[in-house]
Amino acid sequence: MRTLQLTLEEAVSICKTLGNDHRMNILRILSEGPMNVNELSDKIGIPFSTAAVNVKRLEESELISTEIVPGRGSQKVNSKRYDRIIINLAEKEVPEENTIKFEMPIGEFVNSEIEPTCGLLSDTGIIHSQDEARSFFEPERKEAQLLWFKSGSVEYHFPNRIPYGSGVEDINFSVELCSEAPYFKLDWPSDITCWINGLEVGTWTSPGDFGGERGFLTPSWWGTNNTQYGLLKNWNINHTGSYIDGVKISDLTIDELKLLEKPYISFKLGVKKNADNVGGMNLFGSRFGNYEQDILMTIRHSKNK
């Protein structure tokens, strides 16, 4: 699936181009395959000159491409360039002073203890084989863009870049995930737990395994009868306790994590075998699901003392 991602400034011009029924119909028809202006004119039921003007506008906005095809009498043939357009409403973040950010690919886990059903996908295909825990130890696992399992956990070691002598204000982990059901099931609760540096931070109950409608970034070869996207969740620990999306879940504080005592920061996600809802877990990478990110760690710290 070819996706065009736009900033707010870029979106203004594109939206003006798309604000026309004829141009929207042209894009819809070109989803069937390349066509020349005569064919588009006939299909939409508009004069050739009107179709040509609108095709030119779409070309100028780079939403379609045009090439000469000798096999069709040296005619100009038009093709749609994108299947999906995403407009980023949030402005690009400016890094704050004394803030550390690191994004970890989901396939870079250092340990996994999982039980089938399970599997890993890159953005081009299945890695090794499905429902085989051994797949999680194949070198190709680092290419994973979606991984899933019924119970167990995956653990990541993030580089520790906190300056010596500084105080840590809070740490946040942002990740897209959901439950794991056969194919997909919107009503399929699962208790997903987070651990940092070996300490249990808290549990979020995912309401279901989401499919039936393609995720914004999910490749077209992965059928919509399978898991498509998750929810973006944030685990945050500060001096007052631990939170999920701003809701306090435990009294575990940032000082208890002892972040400066190890050369890495351990982050683990999993589903306990004895959880109330053993509904599995799907974890999404930056080229799968609805959010263009892997596992994002953000640390705010004070100046060196």
Side-chain angles (χ1 to χ4, degrees):
M1 177 177 292
R2 296 159 297 179
T3 301
L4 174 63
Q5 298 206 48
L6 303 170
T7 64
L8 284 174
E9 293 78 10
E10 295 168 334
V12 173
S13 175
I14 295 295
C15 287
K16 288 179 180 178
T17 300
L18 296 177
N20 176 284
D21 289 342
H22 294 328
R23 292 193 280 272
M24 289 297 289
N25 280 330
I26 289 171
L27 289 174
R28 177 180 55 80
I29 292 169
L30 289 178
S31 295
E32 302 170 11
M35 296 185 190
N36 60 37
V37 177
N38 274 320
E39 293 168 323
L40 291 169
S41 173
D42 290 340
K43 277 187 169 287
I44 300 174
I46 58 176
F48 175 88
S49 59
T50 303
V53 168
N54 285 287
V55 164
K56 185 172 181 1
R57 179 66 183 274
L58 289 167
E59 283 181 300
E60 291 171 347
S61 296
E62 300 184 349
L63 293 173
I64 67 173
S65 58
T66 302
E67 60 181 336
I68 303 295
V69 182
R72 301 183 67 172
S74 297
Q75 296 183 53
K76 287 185 176 181
V77 176
N78 308 288
S79 302
K80 187 179 69 170
R81 297 188 63 192
Y82 304 102
D83 301 296
R84 189 186 299 271
I85 296 173
I86 298 174
I87 299 173
N88 294 312
L89 297 177
E91 296 291 344
K92 187 174 181 180
E93 254 186 87
V94 177
E96 297 178 20
E97 187 180 0
N98 300 324
T99 297
I100 299 166
K101 289 194 174 186
F102 189 92
E103 196 165 345
M104 179 73 74
I106 68 166
E108 291 282 0
F109 50 85
V110 296
N111 189 31
S112 67
E113 297 180 4
I114 54 95
E115 291 190 358
T117 55
C118 62
L120 306 100
L121 301 179
S122 70
D123 53 359
T124 58
I126 297 168
I127 296 175
H128 194 54
S129 59
Q130 295 190 62
D131 296 333
E132 175 58 76
R134 294 180 182 182
S135 299
F136 282 67
F137 294 90
E138 292 290 329
E140 293 80 10
R141 73 180 187 276
K142 295 188 177 183
E143 302 300 319
Q145 290 296 316
L146 175 66
L147 66 82
W148 68 93
F149 51 84
K150 180 181 178 182
S151 66
S153 63
V154 284
E155 181 181 359
Y156 300 84
H157 285 179
F158 282 72
N160 192 339
R161 298 176 178 172
I162 305 169
Y164 289 110
S166 62
V168 183
E169 301 302 321
D170 65 22
I171 186 170
N172 190 89
F173 286 93
S174 175
V175 59
E176 182 179 357
L177 70 174
C178 70
S179 310
E180 161 55 18
Y183 298 104
F184 77 92
K185 194 170 183 179
L186 302 181
D187 182 15
W188 188 264
S190 184
D191 297 336
I192 299 174
T193 300
C194 163
W195 294 264
I196 298 177
N197 281 1
L199 298 177
E200 184 173 327
V201 177
T203 298
W204 168 65
T205 300
S206 169
D209 182 353
F210 306 111
E213 177 183 341
R214 187 165 303 284
F216 292 142
L217 302 165
T218 301
S220 58
W221 62 266
W222 184 244
T224 54
N225 60 317
N226 298 309
T227 303
Q228 290 291 313
Y229 58 90
L231 299 175
L232 193 67
K233 307 306 293 182
N234 289 275
W235 274 269
N236 182 276
I237 302 90
N238 57 36
H239 291 293
T240 64
S242 300
Y243 301 79
I244 294 180
D245 295 339
V247 178
K248 191 170 185 178
I249 52 171
S250 77
D251 292 324
L252 180 71
T253 66
I254 193 75
D255 294 329
E256 294 176 74
L257 297 180
K258 302 185 184 303
L259 295 176
L260 288 169
E261 293 188 6
K262 291 184 179 180
Y264 62 86
I265 297 169
S266 168
F267 176 72
K268 185 168 74 171
L269 286 171
V271 178
K272 300 177 183 178
K273 292 182 182 180
N274 62 351
D276 291 336
N277 299 290
V278 185
M281 186 180 92
N282 275 280
L283 181 59
F284 298 81
S286 59
R287 299 195 297 276
F288 233 97
N290 279 353
Y291 299 91
E292 194 178 9
Q293 69 166 66
D294 289 283
I295 304 172
L296 178 62
M297 178 184 74
T298 304
I299 297 173
R300 290 192 310 113
H301 61 89
S302 59
K303 294 181 179 180
N304 291 352
K305 296 177 181 178

